[in-house]
């Protein structure tokens, strides 16, 4: 099946720094990728839809200047958490949809655990 | 708005069948999914069903859809300890639209 990777898998940073998380589709092209956030023992909440070559679409309540998304190629989307604070600590998961097929299936990355001290 | 609900916890004995239930409110849902999440990991797609289907079977997994009642279930036959995880149902309208996830059900398989 299709594989999506994320890097890093885990990151610890100081408050006020910025952190970049990469999401890659390894064996397929994805014009659309999705970024989710998951708090402990909770469900996934969609943060934004990343569109290759255009601006991301953010869900209501998600600050676009805080969570910068760049989808520069058909296999890579990045999420940058700017000026991170402890409340940004969470599990961030991306997903991607194979653009070449009509399949609706989203394939998920393994997630990135962010801890802001 | 969309709302997807699941019971929070299910405990079964190894070898028994597990049934995880999900209800949703958006009648325009086109695709309904079941995902599995193990501790500290991403989501693994288990199976999905198109809204014009009533049932789909894939090895130990059986998905039942009651579109009238907006009820989806996942049955796992011969449940094993390796099936212990959190199971999420999700729905989308298709066309590359976003997924809306349920609250997740923690399945615990006891020996």
């Amino acid at each position: 099946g299709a594989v999506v990777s994320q890097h890093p898998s885990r990151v610890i940073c100081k408050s006020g720094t910025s952190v970049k998380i990469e999401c890659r589709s390894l064996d397929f092209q994805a014009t659309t990728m999705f970024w989710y956030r998951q708090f402990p023992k909770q469900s996934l909440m969609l943060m934004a839809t990343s569109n290759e070559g255009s601006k991301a679409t953010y869900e209501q309540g998600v600050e676009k200047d805080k969570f910068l998304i760049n989808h520069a190629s058909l296999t890579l989307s990045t999420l940058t958490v700017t000026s991170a604070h402890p409340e940004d600590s969470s599990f961030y998961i991306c997903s991607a949809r194979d653009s070449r097929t009509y399949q609706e299936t989203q394939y998920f990355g393994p997630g990135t655990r962010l801890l802001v001290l | 708005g969309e709302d997807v609900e699941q019971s929070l916890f299910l405990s079964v004995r190894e070898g028994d069948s597990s049934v995880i239930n999900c209800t949703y409110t958006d009648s325009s849902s086109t695709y309904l999914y079941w995902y599995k999440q193990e501790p500290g990991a991403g989501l693994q797609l288990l199976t999905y069903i198109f809204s014009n289907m009533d049932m789909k079977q894939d090895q130990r997994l059986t998905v039942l859809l009651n579109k009238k009642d907006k009820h989806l279930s996942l049955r796992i036959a011969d449940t094993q300890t390796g099936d212990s995880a959190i199971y999420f149902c999700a729905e989308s309208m298709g066309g590359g639209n976003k997924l809306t996830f349920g609250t997740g059900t923690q399945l615990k398989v006891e020996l």
Side-chain angles (χ1 to χ4, degrees):
Chain A
V3 178
V4 175
S5 70
Q6 279 184 243
H7 178 80
S9 58
R10 185 184 296 263
V11 57
I12 300 173
C13 69
K14 291 182 180 179
S15 187
T17 60
S18 293
V19 175
K20 181 186 281 189
I21 303 169
E22 293 185 348
C23 177
R24 292 183 187 272
S25 56
L26 297 186
D27 49 1
F28 65 98
Q29 295 178 336
T31 54
T32 304
M33 293 184 175
F34 301 88
W35 286 97
Y36 295 84
R37 184 173 181 177
Q38 185 181 32
F39 289 106
K41 300 190 186 303
Q42 293 190 25
S43 187
L44 281 75
M45 299 300 295
L46 179 66
M47 297 174 66
T49 302
S50 173
N51 304 299
E52 188 265 336
S54 65
K55 291 182 180 179
T57 305
Y58 290 82
E59 294 298 297
Q60 192 171 9
V62 178
E63 298 176 60
K64 62 181 181 181
D65 295 329
K66 171 78 172 175
F67 299 99
L68 299 178
I69 291 172
N70 185 284
H71 193 152
S73 78
L74 287 170
T75 59
L76 173 65
S77 174
T78 60
L79 169 68
T80 301
V81 183
T82 62
S83 186
H85 290 284
E87 57 266 29
D88 299 323
S89 299
S90 190
F91 194 51
Y92 292 87
I93 306 177
C94 72
S95 71
R97 195 176 142 261
D98 190 335
S99 307
R100 296 165 299 178
T101 73
Y102 291 105
Q103 291 276 345
E104 289 296 327
T105 307
Q106 289 185 25
Y107 299 97
F108 283 79
T112 296
R113 189 162 300 283
L114 171 63
L115 177 61
V116 184
L117 301 176
Chain B
E2 306 140 356
D3 201 14
V4 185
E5 298 283 340
Q6 297 177 239
S7 52
L8 288 179
F9 192 77
L10 176 65
S11 179
V12 299
R13 287 186 187 173
E14 188 177 40
D16 287 352
S17 293
S18 308
V19 179
I20 302 171
N21 295 301
C22 171
T23 57
Y24 60 98
T25 58
D26 192 345
S27 58
S28 59
S29 298
T30 306
Y31 293 86
L32 295 128
Y33 303 82
W34 283 105
Y35 285 89
K36 176 183 180 183
Q37 185 180 35
E38 299 190 41
L43 273 68
Q44 174 194 353
L45 176 66
L46 293 177
T47 187
Y48 67 95
I49 190 168
F50 190 59
S51 61
N52 66 355
M53 298 168 65
D54 299 321
M55 186 188 86
K56 182 178 180 181
Q57 186 161 2
D58 184 1
Q59 299 181 332
R60 291 191 298 125
L61 305 179
T62 303
V63 178
L64 295 178
L65 175 61
N66 182 328
K67 196 172 180 181
K68 174 176 169 288
D69 294 338
K70 300 190 186 68
H71 183 266
L72 181 75
S73 68
L74 174 69
R75 179 176 180 270
I76 305 173
D78 186 26
T79 313
Q80 301 297 307
T81 54
D83 295 323
S84 293
I86 300 176
Y87 290 79
F88 291 96
C89 64
E91 58 92 18
S92 83
M93 290 192 291
N97 283 317
K98 64 179 184 179
L99 289 173
T100 300
F101 283 88
T103 46
T105 299
Q106 171 87 53
L107 173 64
K108 182 178 179 183
V109 182
E110 298 173 328
L111 296 173

